[in-house]
PDB file of all heavy atoms in Angstrom:
ATOM      1  N   HIS S   1       0.811  -1.219   0.000  1.00 96.00           N
ATOM      2  CA  HIS S   1       0.000   0.000   0.000  1.00 96.00           C
ATOM      3  C   HIS S   1       0.843   1.268   0.000  1.00 96.00           C
ATOM      4  O   HIS S   1       0.457   2.270  -0.577  1.00 96.00           O
ATOM      5  CB  HIS S   1      -0.971   0.006   1.187  1.00 96.00           C
ATOM      6  CG  HIS S   1      -0.336   0.311   2.505  1.00 96.00           C
ATOM      7  ND1 HIS S   1       0.388  -0.629   3.206  1.00 96.00           N
ATOM      8  CD2 HIS S   1      -0.307   1.452   3.225  1.00 96.00           C
ATOM      9  CE1 HIS S   1       0.828  -0.064   4.319  1.00 96.00           C
ATOM     10  NE2 HIS S   1       0.424   1.192   4.353  1.00 96.00           N
ATOM     11  N   LYS S   2       2.017   1.237   0.578  1.00 97.00           N
ATOM     12  CA  LYS S   2       2.836   2.456   0.620  1.00 97.00           C
ATOM     13  C   LYS S   2       3.486   2.762  -0.734  1.00 97.00           C
ATOM     14  O   LYS S   2       3.965   3.860  -0.960  1.00 97.00           O
ATOM     15  CB  LYS S   2       3.882   2.374   1.722  1.00 97.00           C
ATOM     16  CG  LYS S   2       4.907   1.303   1.547  1.00 97.00           C
ATOM     17  CD  LYS S   2       5.879   1.301   2.730  1.00 97.00           C
ATOM     18  CE  LYS S   2       6.836   0.153   2.577  1.00 97.00           C
ATOM     19  NZ  LYS S   2       6.647  -0.928   3.496  1.00 97.00           N
ATOM     20  N   ASP S   3       3.469   1.794  -1.669  1.00 96.00           N
ATOM     21  CA  ASP S   3       4.024   2.005  -3.003  1.00 96.00           C
ATOM     22  C   ASP S   3       2.969   2.456  -4.011  1.00 96.00           C
ATOM     23  O   ASP S   3       3.299   2.739  -5.170  1.00 96.00           O
ATOM     24  CB  ASP S   3       4.694   0.725  -3.507  1.00 96.00           C
ATOM     25  CG  ASP S   3       5.899   0.343  -2.677  1.00 96.00           C
ATOM     26  OD1 ASP S   3       6.599   1.256  -2.202  1.00 96.00           O
ATOM     27  OD2 ASP S   3       6.133  -0.872  -2.487  1.00 96.00           O
ATOM     28  N   ILE S   4       1.716   2.528  -3.608  1.00 94.00           N
ATOM     29  CA  ILE S   4       0.644   2.902  -4.526  1.00 94.00           C
ATOM     30  C   ILE S   4       0.836   4.307  -5.115  1.00 94.00           C
ATOM     31  O   ILE S   4       0.663   4.481  -6.324  1.00 94.00           O
ATOM     32  CB  ILE S   4      -0.735   2.728  -3.875  1.00 94.00           C
ATOM     33  CG1 ILE S   4      -1.021   1.227  -3.746  1.00 94.00           C
ATOM     34  CG2 ILE S   4      -1.836   3.413  -4.680  1.00 94.00           C
ATOM     35  CD1 ILE S   4      -2.310   0.887  -3.063  1.00 94.00           C
ATOM     36  N   PRO S   5       1.194   5.329  -4.332  1.00 94.00           N
ATOM     37  CA  PRO S   5       1.370   6.659  -4.947  1.00 94.00           C
ATOM     38  C   PRO S   5       2.421   6.684  -6.069  1.00 94.00           C
ATOM     39  O   PRO S   5       2.164   7.240  -7.138  1.00 94.00           O
ATOM     40  CB  PRO S   5       1.786   7.552  -3.773  1.00 94.00           C
ATOM     41  CG  PRO S   5       1.191   6.875  -2.576  1.00 94.00           C
ATOM     42  CD  PRO S   5       1.314   5.400  -2.863  1.00 94.00           C
ATOM     43  N   SER S   6       3.570   6.058  -5.871  1.00 95.00           N
ATOM     44  CA  SER S   6       4.595   6.080  -6.919  1.00 95.00           C
ATOM     45  C   SER S   6       4.195   5.205  -8.107  1.00 95.00           C
ATOM     46  O   SER S   6       4.474   5.549  -9.262  1.00 95.00           O
ATOM     47  CB  SER S   6       5.960   5.658  -6.371  1.00 95.00           C
ATOM     48  OG  SER S   6       5.929   4.332  -5.904  1.00 95.00           O
ATOM     49  N   ALA S   7       3.514   4.087  -7.858  1.00 93.00           N
ATOM     50  CA  ALA S   7       3.043   3.246  -8.958  1.00 93.00           C
ATOM     51  C   ALA S   7       1.975   3.982  -9.772  1.00 93.00           C
ATOM     52  O   ALA S   7       1.969   3.913 -11.006  1.00 93.00           O
ATOM     53  CB  ALA S   7       2.483   1.934  -8.420  1.00 93.00           C
ATOM     54  N   THR S   8       1.101   4.701  -9.107  1.00 91.00           N
ATOM     55  CA  THR S   8       0.068   5.483  -9.788  1.00 91.00           C
ATOM     56  C   THR S   8       0.700   6.571 -10.636  1.00 91.00           C
ATOM     57  O   THR S   8       0.324   6.772 -11.795  1.00 91.00           O
ATOM     58  CB  THR S   8      -0.909   6.101  -8.762  1.00 91.00           C
ATOM     59  OG1 THR S   8      -1.498   5.048  -7.994  1.00 91.00           O
ATOM     60  CG2 THR S   8      -1.992   6.912  -9.450  1.00 91.00           C
ATOM     61  N   GLU S   9       1.675   7.269 -10.088  1.00 93.00           N
ATOM     62  CA  GLU S   9       2.388   8.323 -10.820  1.00 93.00           C
ATOM     63  C   GLU S   9       3.042   7.752 -12.080  1.00 93.00           C
ATOM     64  O   GLU S   9       2.921   8.314 -13.171  1.00 93.00           O
ATOM     65  CB  GLU S   9       3.448   8.958  -9.923  1.00 93.00           C
ATOM     66  CG  GLU S   9       4.357   9.938 -10.622  1.00 93.00           C
ATOM     67  CD  GLU S   9       3.685  11.245 -10.961  1.00 93.00           C
ATOM     68  OE1 GLU S   9       2.720  11.614 -10.274  1.00 93.00           O
ATOM     69  OE2 GLU S   9       4.138  11.896 -11.914  1.00 93.00           O
ATOM     70  N   GLY S  10       3.710   6.628 -11.953  1.00 93.00           N
ATOM     71  CA  GLY S  10       4.355   5.992 -13.096  1.00 93.00           C
ATOM     72  C   GLY S  10       3.356   5.547 -14.147  1.00 93.00           C
ATOM     73  O   GLY S  10       3.577   5.727 -15.352  1.00 93.00           O
ATOM     74  N   PHE S  11       2.240   4.965 -13.702  1.00 89.00           N
ATOM     75  CA  PHE S  11       1.201   4.500 -14.623  1.00 89.00           C
ATOM     76  C   PHE S  11       0.597   5.656 -15.398  1.00 89.00           C
ATOM     77  O   PHE S  11       0.468   5.606 -16.626  1.00 89.00           O
ATOM     78  CB  PHE S  11       0.117   3.747 -13.844  1.00 89.00           C
ATOM     79  CG  PHE S  11      -1.076   3.390 -14.685  1.00 89.00           C
ATOM     80  CD1 PHE S  11      -1.009   2.362 -15.606  1.00 89.00           C
ATOM     81  CD2 PHE S  11      -2.260   4.084 -14.553  1.00 89.00           C
ATOM     82  CE1 PHE S  11      -2.106   2.037 -16.396  1.00 89.00           C
ATOM     83  CE2 PHE S  11      -3.362   3.767 -15.329  1.00 89.00           C
ATOM     84  CZ  PHE S  11      -3.279   2.738 -16.254  1.00 89.00           C
ATOM     85  N   VAL S  12       0.225   6.727 -14.692  1.00 90.00           N
ATOM     86  CA  VAL S  12      -0.401   7.873 -15.359  1.00 90.00           C
ATOM     87  C   VAL S  12       0.582   8.532 -16.333  1.00 90.00           C
ATOM     88  O   VAL S  12       0.215   8.872 -17.459  1.00 90.00           O
ATOM     89  CB  VAL S  12      -0.942   8.892 -14.334  1.00 90.00           C
ATOM     90  CG1 VAL S  12      -1.411  10.165 -15.015  1.00 90.00           C
ATOM     91  CG2 VAL S  12      -2.077   8.286 -13.533  1.00 90.00           C
ATOM     92  N   SER S  13       1.835   8.673 -15.926  1.00 91.00           N
ATOM     93  CA  SER S  13       2.838   9.280 -16.807  1.00 91.00           C
ATOM     94  C   SER S  13       3.022   8.453 -18.079  1.00 91.00           C
ATOM     95  O   SER S  13       3.085   9.012 -19.182  1.00 91.00           O
ATOM     96  CB  SER S  13       4.179   9.417 -16.080  1.00 91.00           C
ATOM     97  OG  SER S  13       4.067  10.316 -15.015  1.00 91.00           O
ATOM     98  N   LEU S  14       3.117   7.137 -17.937  1.00 90.00           N
ATOM     99  CA  LEU S  14       3.291   6.265 -19.095  1.00 90.00           C
ATOM    100  C   LEU S  14       2.060   6.306 -19.996  1.00 90.00           C
ATOM    101  O   LEU S  14       2.169   6.391 -21.225  1.00 90.00           O
ATOM    102  CB  LEU S  14       3.562   4.837 -18.630  1.00 90.00           C
ATOM    103  CG  LEU S  14       3.853   3.821 -19.721  1.00 90.00           C
ATOM    104  CD1 LEU S  14       5.127   4.191 -20.474  1.00 90.00           C
ATOM    105  CD2 LEU S  14       3.989   2.429 -19.114  1.00 90.00           C
ATOM    106  N   LYS S  15       0.876   6.270 -19.404  1.00 89.00           N
ATOM    107  CA  LYS S  15      -0.364   6.294 -20.187  1.00 89.00           C
ATOM    108  C   LYS S  15      -0.490   7.604 -20.955  1.00 89.00           C
ATOM    109  O   LYS S  15      -0.845   7.605 -22.132  1.00 89.00           O
ATOM    110  CB  LYS S  15      -1.562   6.106 -19.253  1.00 89.00           C
ATOM    111  CG  LYS S  15      -2.880   5.969 -19.987  1.00 89.00           C
ATOM    112  CD  LYS S  15      -3.983   5.616 -19.008  1.00 89.00           C
ATOM    113  CE  LYS S  15      -5.308   5.474 -19.701  1.00 89.00           C
ATOM    114  NZ  LYS S  15      -6.391   5.184 -18.765  1.00 89.00           N
ATOM    115  N   ARG S  16      -0.163   8.731 -20.315  1.00 88.00           N
ATOM    116  CA  ARG S  16      -0.250  10.030 -20.983  1.00 88.00           C
ATOM    117  C   ARG S  16       0.779  10.150 -22.105  1.00 88.00           C
ATOM    118  O   ARG S  16       0.527  10.803 -23.111  1.00 88.00           O
ATOM    119  CB  ARG S  16      -0.087  11.146 -19.964  1.00 88.00           C
ATOM    120  CG  ARG S  16      -1.300  11.285 -19.050  1.00 88.00           C
ATOM    121  CD  ARG S  16      -1.049  12.218 -17.888  1.00 88.00           C
ATOM    122  NE  ARG S  16      -0.749  13.557 -18.303  1.00 88.00           N
ATOM    123  CZ  ARG S  16      -1.586  14.597 -18.209  1.00 88.00           C
ATOM    124  NH1 ARG S  16      -2.783  14.396 -17.693  1.00 88.00           N
ATOM    125  NH2 ARG S  16      -1.233  15.777 -18.599  1.00 88.00           N
ATOM    126  N   LYS S  17       1.928   9.506 -21.937  1.00 90.00           N
ATOM    127  CA  LYS S  17       2.968   9.548 -22.961  1.00 90.00           C
ATOM    128  C   LYS S  17       2.582   8.686 -24.169  1.00 90.00           C
ATOM    129  O   LYS S  17       2.703   9.121 -25.320  1.00 90.00           O
ATOM    130  CB  LYS S  17       4.291   9.061 -22.376  1.00 90.00           C
ATOM    131  CG  LYS S  17       5.420   9.001 -23.378  1.00 90.00           C
ATOM    132  CD  LYS S  17       6.685   8.480 -22.737  1.00 90.00           C
ATOM    133  CE  LYS S  17       7.784   8.328 -23.765  1.00 90.00           C
ATOM    134  NZ  LYS S  17       8.999   7.753 -23.175  1.00 90.00           N
ATOM    135  N   LEU S  18       2.131   7.454 -23.921  1.00 89.00           N
ATOM    136  CA  LEU S  18       1.840   6.521 -25.003  1.00 89.00           C
ATOM    137  C   LEU S  18       0.469   6.739 -25.644  1.00 89.00           C
ATOM    138  O   LEU S  18       0.262   6.394 -26.801  1.00 89.00           O
ATOM    139  CB  LEU S  18       1.952   5.080 -24.498  1.00 89.00           C
ATOM    140  CG  LEU S  18       3.337   4.659 -24.004  1.00 89.00           C
ATOM    141  CD1 LEU S  18       3.307   3.243 -23.464  1.00 89.00           C
ATOM    142  CD2 LEU S  18       4.375   4.796 -25.114  1.00 89.00           C
ATOM    143  N   PHE S  19      -0.474   7.265 -24.873  1.00 88.00           N
ATOM    144  CA  PHE S  19      -1.833   7.503 -25.360  1.00 88.00           C
ATOM    145  C   PHE S  19      -2.238   8.938 -25.019  1.00 88.00           C
ATOM    146  O   PHE S  19      -3.037   9.168 -24.117  1.00 88.00           O
ATOM    147  CB  PHE S  19      -2.811   6.508 -24.735  1.00 88.00           C
ATOM    148  CG  PHE S  19      -2.503   5.079 -25.087  1.00 88.00           C
ATOM    149  CD1 PHE S  19      -1.742   4.299 -24.239  1.00 88.00           C
ATOM    150  CD2 PHE S  19      -2.953   4.531 -26.268  1.00 88.00           C
ATOM    151  CE1 PHE S  19      -1.434   2.989 -24.567  1.00 88.00           C
ATOM    152  CE2 PHE S  19      -2.667   3.224 -26.612  1.00 88.00           C
ATOM    153  CZ  PHE S  19      -1.900   2.449 -25.758  1.00 88.00           C
ATOM    154  N   PRO S  20      -1.678   9.923 -25.735  1.00 87.00           N
ATOM    155  CA  PRO S  20      -1.929  11.331 -25.395  1.00 87.00           C
ATOM    156  C   PRO S  20      -3.401  11.732 -25.444  1.00 87.00           C
ATOM    157  O   PRO S  20      -3.800  12.684 -24.774  1.00 87.00           O
ATOM    158  CB  PRO S  20      -1.113  12.116 -26.415  1.00 87.00           C
ATOM    159  CG  PRO S  20      -0.571  11.149 -27.393  1.00 87.00           C
ATOM    160  CD  PRO S  20      -0.793   9.771 -26.862  1.00 87.00           C
ATOM    161  N   ASN S  21      -4.216  11.007 -26.203  1.00 85.00           N
ATOM    162  CA  ASN S  21      -5.647  11.343 -26.266  1.00 85.00           C
ATOM    163  C   ASN S  21      -6.381  11.002 -24.979  1.00 85.00           C
ATOM    164  O   ASN S  21      -7.549  11.343 -24.827  1.00 85.00           O
ATOM    165  CB  ASN S  21      -6.313  10.646 -27.455  1.00 85.00           C
ATOM    166  CG  ASN S  21      -6.219   9.139 -27.370  1.00 85.00           C
ATOM    167  OD1 ASN S  21      -5.256   8.599 -26.826  1.00 85.00           O
ATOM    168  ND2 ASN S  21      -7.193   8.449 -27.910  1.00 85.00           N
ATOM    169  N   THR S  22      -5.731  10.334 -24.022  1.00 82.00           N
ATOM    170  CA  THR S  22      -6.372  10.026 -22.733  1.00 82.00           C
ATOM    171  C   THR S  22      -6.123  11.128 -21.705  1.00 82.00           C
ATOM    172  O   THR S  22      -6.642  11.058 -20.596  1.00 82.00           O
ATOM    173  CB  THR S  22      -5.857   8.696 -22.150  1.00 82.00           C
ATOM    174  OG1 THR S  22      -4.463   8.810 -21.864  1.00 82.00           O
ATOM    175  CG2 THR S  22      -6.112   7.547 -23.109  1.00 82.00           C
ATOM    176  N   GLN S  23      -5.339  12.127 -22.064  1.00 82.00           N
ATOM    177  CA  GLN S  23      -5.017  13.191 -21.107  1.00 82.00           C
ATOM    178  C   GLN S  23      -6.267  13.986 -20.750  1.00 82.00           C
ATOM    179  O   GLN S  23      -7.090  14.282 -21.602  1.00 82.00           O
ATOM    180  CB  GLN S  23      -3.952  14.116 -21.680  1.00 82.00           C
ATOM    181  CG  GLN S  23      -2.612  13.455 -21.813  1.00 82.00           C
ATOM    182  CD  GLN S  23      -1.528  14.422 -22.243  1.00 82.00           C
ATOM    183  OE1 GLN S  23      -1.628  15.606 -22.034  1.00 82.00           O
ATOM    184  NE2 GLN S  23      -0.489  13.884 -22.850  1.00 82.00           N
ATOM    185  N   ARG S  24      -6.371  14.314 -19.497  1.00 84.00           N
ATOM    186  CA  ARG S  24      -7.479  15.112 -18.983  1.00 84.00           C
ATOM    187  C   ARG S  24      -6.899  16.318 -18.258  1.00 84.00           C
ATOM    188  O   ARG S  24      -5.723  16.345 -17.900  1.00 84.00           O
ATOM    189  CB  ARG S  24      -8.336  14.291 -18.011  1.00 84.00           C
ATOM    190  CG  ARG S  24      -8.985  13.058 -18.645  1.00 84.00           C
ATOM    191  CD  ARG S  24      -9.992  13.491 -19.706  1.00 84.00           C
ATOM    192  NE  ARG S  24     -10.711  12.376 -20.271  1.00 84.00           N
ATOM    193  CZ  ARG S  24     -10.428  11.804 -21.428  1.00 84.00           C
ATOM    194  NH1 ARG S  24      -9.390  12.204 -22.141  1.00 84.00           N
ATOM    195  NH2 ARG S  24     -11.161  10.821 -21.890  1.00 84.00           N
ATOM    196  N   GLN S  25      -7.748  17.306 -18.021  1.00 82.00           N
ATOM    197  CA  GLN S  25      -7.285  18.526 -17.365  1.00 82.00           C
ATOM    198  C   GLN S  25      -6.730  18.213 -15.973  1.00 82.00           C
ATOM    199  O   GLN S  25      -5.667  18.690 -15.598  1.00 82.00           O
ATOM    200  CB  GLN S  25      -8.421  19.539 -17.276  1.00 82.00           C
ATOM    201  CG  GLN S  25      -7.960  20.890 -16.782  1.00 82.00           C
ATOM    202  CD  GLN S  25      -9.054  21.936 -16.892  1.00 82.00           C
ATOM    203  OE1 GLN S  25     -10.213  21.619 -17.133  1.00 82.00           O
ATOM    204  NE2 GLN S  25      -8.688  23.175 -16.719  1.00 82.00           N
ATOM    205  N   GLN S  26      -7.441  17.409 -15.204  1.00 86.00           N
ATOM    206  CA  GLN S  26      -6.954  16.981 -13.904  1.00 86.00           C
ATOM    207  C   GLN S  26      -6.077  15.750 -14.116  1.00 86.00           C
ATOM    208  O   GLN S  26      -6.505  14.775 -14.737  1.00 86.00           O
ATOM    209  CB  GLN S  26      -8.118  16.647 -12.965  1.00 86.00           C
ATOM    210  CG  GLN S  26      -8.998  17.834 -12.637  1.00 86.00           C
ATOM    211  CD  GLN S  26      -8.263  18.889 -11.835  1.00 86.00           C
ATOM    212  OE1 GLN S  26      -7.441  18.586 -10.975  1.00 86.00           O
ATOM    213  NE2 GLN S  26      -8.541  20.147 -12.133  1.00 86.00           N
ATOM    214  N   TYR S  27      -4.852  15.782 -13.615  1.00 82.00           N
ATOM    215  CA  TYR S  27      -3.856  14.752 -13.883  1.00 82.00           C
ATOM    216  C   TYR S  27      -4.370  13.339 -13.618  1.00 82.00           C
ATOM    217  O   TYR S  27      -4.277  12.471 -14.477  1.00 82.00           O
ATOM    218  CB  TYR S  27      -2.603  15.034 -13.038  1.00 82.00           C
ATOM    219  CG  TYR S  27      -1.461  14.106 -13.313  1.00 82.00           C
ATOM    220  CD1 TYR S  27      -0.713  14.226 -14.468  1.00 82.00           C
ATOM    221  CD2 TYR S  27      -1.111  13.112 -12.410  1.00 82.00           C
ATOM    222  CE1 TYR S  27       0.347  13.378 -14.724  1.00 82.00           C
ATOM    223  CE2 TYR S  27      -0.050  12.261 -12.652  1.00 82.00           C
ATOM    224  CZ  TYR S  27       0.674  12.404 -13.812  1.00 82.00           C
ATOM    225  OH  TYR S  27       1.722  11.564 -14.067  1.00 82.00           O
ATOM    226  N   LEU S  28      -4.934  13.103 -12.443  1.00 84.00           N
ATOM    227  CA  LEU S  28      -5.383  11.749 -12.100  1.00 84.00           C
ATOM    228  C   LEU S  28      -6.611  11.306 -12.888  1.00 84.00           C
ATOM    229  O   LEU S  28      -6.882  10.114 -12.998  1.00 84.00           O
ATOM    230  CB  LEU S  28      -5.646  11.622 -10.602  1.00 84.00           C
ATOM    231  CG  LEU S  28      -4.396  11.601  -9.725  1.00 84.00           C
ATOM    232  CD1 LEU S  28      -4.782  11.525  -8.253  1.00 84.00           C
ATOM    233  CD2 LEU S  28      -3.480  10.447 -10.088  1.00 84.00           C
ATOM    234  N   ASP S  29      -7.340  12.243 -13.494  1.00 84.00           N
ATOM    235  CA  ASP S  29      -8.479  11.866 -14.332  1.00 84.00           C
ATOM    236  C   ASP S  29      -8.033  11.127 -15.591  1.00 84.00           C
ATOM    237  O   ASP S  29      -8.842  10.476 -16.253  1.00 84.00           O
ATOM    238  CB  ASP S  29      -9.303  13.092 -14.720  1.00 84.00           C
ATOM    239  CG  ASP S  29     -10.142  13.623 -13.565  1.00 84.00           C
ATOM    240  OD1 ASP S  29     -10.268  12.901 -12.543  1.00 84.00           O
ATOM    241  OD2 ASP S  29     -10.649  14.747 -13.665  1.00 84.00           O
ATOM    242  N   SER S  30      -6.737  11.190 -15.917  1.00 85.00           N
ATOM    243  CA  SER S  30      -6.208  10.463 -17.070  1.00 85.00           C
ATOM    244  C   SER S  30      -6.273   8.955 -16.858  1.00 85.00           C
ATOM    245  O   SER S  30      -6.116   8.180 -17.804  1.00 85.00           O
ATOM    246  CB  SER S  30      -4.766  10.879 -17.357  1.00 85.00           C
ATOM    247  OG  SER S  30      -4.718  12.234 -17.741  1.00 85.00           O
ATOM    248  N   ILE S  31      -6.503   8.515 -15.632  1.00 84.00           N
ATOM    249  CA  ILE S  31      -6.664   7.090 -15.346  1.00 84.00           C
ATOM    250  C   ILE S  31      -7.977   6.567 -15.930  1.00 84.00           C
ATOM    251  O   ILE S  31      -8.065   5.412 -16.354  1.00 84.00           O
ATOM    252  CB  ILE S  31      -6.642   6.835 -13.813  1.00 84.00           C
ATOM    253  CG1 ILE S  31      -5.248   7.073 -13.269  1.00 84.00           C
ATOM    254  CG2 ILE S  31      -7.129   5.444 -13.473  1.00 84.00           C
ATOM    255  CD1 ILE S  31      -5.160   6.971 -11.762  1.00 84.00           C
ATOM    256  N   LEU S  32      -8.994   7.401 -15.990  1.00 85.00           N
ATOM    257  CA  LEU S  32     -10.354   6.953 -16.310  1.00 85.00           C
ATOM    258  C   LEU S  32     -10.549   6.368 -17.705  1.00 85.00           C
ATOM    259  O   LEU S  32     -11.216   5.337 -17.831  1.00 85.00           O
ATOM    260  CB  LEU S  32     -11.336   8.103 -16.075  1.00 85.00           C
ATOM    261  CG  LEU S  32     -11.396   8.603 -14.620  1.00 85.00           C
ATOM    262  CD1 LEU S  32     -12.315   9.811 -14.519  1.00 85.00           C
ATOM    263  CD2 LEU S  32     -11.833   7.495 -13.685  1.00 85.00           C
ATOM    264  N   PRO S  33     -10.022   6.978 -18.790  1.00 85.00           N
ATOM    265  CA  PRO S  33     -10.246   6.357 -20.104  1.00 85.00           C
ATOM    266  C   PRO S  33      -9.573   4.974 -20.197  1.00 85.00           C
ATOM    267  O   PRO S  33      -8.410   4.813 -19.867  1.00 85.00           O
ATOM    268  CB  PRO S  33      -9.589   7.332 -21.090  1.00 85.00           C
ATOM    269  CG  PRO S  33      -9.454   8.607 -20.348  1.00 85.00           C
ATOM    270  CD  PRO S  33      -9.308   8.235 -18.909  1.00 85.00           C
ATOM    271  N   GLU S  34     -10.339   3.989 -20.645  1.00 83.00           N
ATOM    272  CA  GLU S  34      -9.836   2.634 -20.727  1.00 83.00           C
ATOM    273  C   GLU S  34      -9.081   2.432 -22.030  1.00 83.00           C
ATOM    274  O   GLU S  34      -9.486   2.889 -23.089  1.00 83.00           O
ATOM    275  CB  GLU S  34     -11.008   1.649 -20.640  1.00 83.00           C
ATOM    276  CG  GLU S  34     -10.578   0.221 -20.528  1.00 83.00           C
ATOM    277  CD  GLU S  34     -11.744  -0.725 -20.288  1.00 83.00           C
ATOM    278  OE1 GLU S  34     -12.902  -0.270 -20.230  1.00 83.00           O
ATOM    279  OE2 GLU S  34     -11.496  -1.925 -20.154  1.00 83.00           O
ATOM    280  N   ILE S  35      -7.950   1.738 -21.948  1.00 82.00           N
ATOM    281  CA  ILE S  35      -7.160   1.378 -23.126  1.00 82.00           C
ATOM    282  C   ILE S  35      -7.507  -0.074 -23.470  1.00 82.00           C
ATOM    283  O   ILE S  35      -7.336  -0.969 -22.653  1.00 82.00           O
ATOM    284  CB  ILE S  35      -5.642   1.501 -22.860  1.00 82.00           C
ATOM    285  CG1 ILE S  35      -5.289   2.912 -22.398  1.00 82.00           C
ATOM    286  CG2 ILE S  35      -4.855   1.099 -24.096  1.00 82.00           C
ATOM    287  CD1 ILE S  35      -5.540   3.992 -23.389  1.00 82.00           C
ATOM    288  N   LYS S  36      -8.002  -0.307 -24.653  1.00 75.00           N
ATOM    289  CA  LYS S  36      -8.377  -1.636 -25.102  1.00 75.00           C
ATOM    290  C   LYS S  36      -7.204  -2.305 -25.817  1.00 75.00           C
ATOM    291  O   LYS S  36      -6.289  -1.634 -26.300  1.00 75.00           O
ATOM    292  CB  LYS S  36      -9.575  -1.563 -26.055  1.00 75.00           C
ATOM    293  CG  LYS S  36     -10.838  -1.060 -25.398  1.00 75.00           C
ATOM    294  CD  LYS S  36     -11.321  -2.081 -24.409  1.00 75.00           C
ATOM    295  CE  LYS S  36     -12.715  -1.778 -23.906  1.00 75.00           C
ATOM    296  NZ  LYS S  36     -13.161  -2.753 -22.955  1.00 75.00           N
ATOM    297  N   GLY S  37      -7.245  -3.611 -25.913  1.00 69.00           N
ATOM    298  CA  GLY S  37      -6.201  -4.353 -26.614  1.00 69.00           C
ATOM    299  C   GLY S  37      -6.053  -3.926 -28.054  1.00 69.00           C
ATOM    300  O   GLY S  37      -4.953  -3.865 -28.601  1.00 69.00           O
ATOM    301  N   SER S  38      -7.178  -3.574 -28.701  1.00 70.00           N
ATOM    302  CA  SER S  38      -7.101  -3.120 -30.096  1.00 70.00           C
ATOM    303  C   SER S  38      -6.351  -1.797 -30.196  1.00 70.00           C
ATOM    304  O   SER S  38      -5.676  -1.538 -31.181  1.00 70.00           O
ATOM    305  CB  SER S  38      -8.500  -2.992 -30.684  1.00 70.00           C
ATOM    306  OG  SER S  38      -9.282  -2.089 -29.933  1.00 70.00           O
ATOM    307  N   ASP S  39      -6.425  -0.957 -29.147  1.00 75.00           N
ATOM    308  CA  ASP S  39      -5.647   0.293 -29.119  1.00 75.00           C
ATOM    309  C   ASP S  39      -4.159  -0.003 -29.041  1.00 75.00           C
ATOM    310  O   ASP S  39      -3.351   0.635 -29.708  1.00 75.00           O
ATOM    311  CB  ASP S  39      -6.051   1.164 -27.920  1.00 75.00           C
ATOM    312  CG  ASP S  39      -7.498   1.581 -27.946  1.00 75.00           C
ATOM    313  OD1 ASP S  39      -8.016   1.844 -29.053  1.00 75.00           O
ATOM    314  OD2 ASP S  39      -8.118   1.649 -26.868  1.00 75.00           O
ATOM    315  N   VAL S  40      -3.801  -0.976 -28.228  1.00 73.00           N
ATOM    316  CA  VAL S  40      -2.394  -1.345 -28.055  1.00 73.00           C
ATOM    317  C   VAL S  40      -1.838  -1.956 -29.340  1.00 73.00           C
ATOM    318  O   VAL S  40      -0.718  -1.666 -29.747  1.00 73.00           O
ATOM    319  CB  VAL S  40      -2.221  -2.327 -26.868  1.00 73.00           C
ATOM    320  CG1 VAL S  40      -0.799  -2.820 -26.765  1.00 73.00           C
ATOM    321  CG2 VAL S  40      -2.660  -1.657 -25.565  1.00 73.00           C
ATOM    322  N   ARG S  41      -2.653  -2.778 -29.999  1.00 69.00           N
ATOM    323  CA  ARG S  41      -2.192  -3.425 -31.233  1.00 69.00           C
ATOM    324  C   ARG S  41      -1.973  -2.438 -32.367  1.00 69.00           C
ATOM    325  O   ARG S  41      -1.219  -2.710 -33.287  1.00 69.00           O
ATOM    326  CB  ARG S  41      -3.197  -4.497 -31.673  1.00 69.00           C
ATOM    327  CG  ARG S  41      -3.220  -5.684 -30.753  1.00 69.00           C
ATOM    328  CD  ARG S  41      -4.039  -6.822 -31.281  1.00 69.00           C
ATOM    329  NE  ARG S  41      -5.188  -6.414 -32.072  1.00 69.00           N
ATOM    330  CZ  ARG S  41      -6.297  -7.109 -32.197  1.00 69.00           C
ATOM    331  NH1 ARG S  41      -6.420  -8.256 -31.573  1.00 69.00           N
ATOM    332  NH2 ARG S  41      -7.293  -6.689 -32.930  1.00 69.00           N
ATOM    333  N   LYS S  42      -2.641  -1.285 -32.344  1.00 73.00           N
ATOM    334  CA  LYS S  42      -2.463  -0.278 -33.393  1.00 73.00           C
ATOM    335  C   LYS S  42      -1.053   0.237 -33.341  1.00 73.00           C
ATOM    336  O   LYS S  42      -0.457   0.702 -34.194  1.00 73.00           O
ATOM    337  CB  LYS S  42      -3.453   0.864 -33.233  1.00 73.00           C
ATOM    338  CG  LYS S  42      -4.873   0.484 -33.530  1.00 73.00           C
ATOM    339  CD  LYS S  42      -5.786   1.650 -33.287  1.00 73.00           C
ATOM    340  CE  LYS S  42      -7.232   1.244 -33.363  1.00 73.00           C
ATOM    341  NZ  LYS S  42      -8.141   2.299 -32.976  1.00 73.00           N
TER     342      LYS S  42
END
């Protein structure tokens, strides 16, 4: 549980970098859009 903040930060940063269309005005809101396997395969 004490590693959740750094894991969340890393996940959001990676998601925003690889899938810029998931970015939201509030940083943590970028977690909400789901990435599907078909998105990854593109």
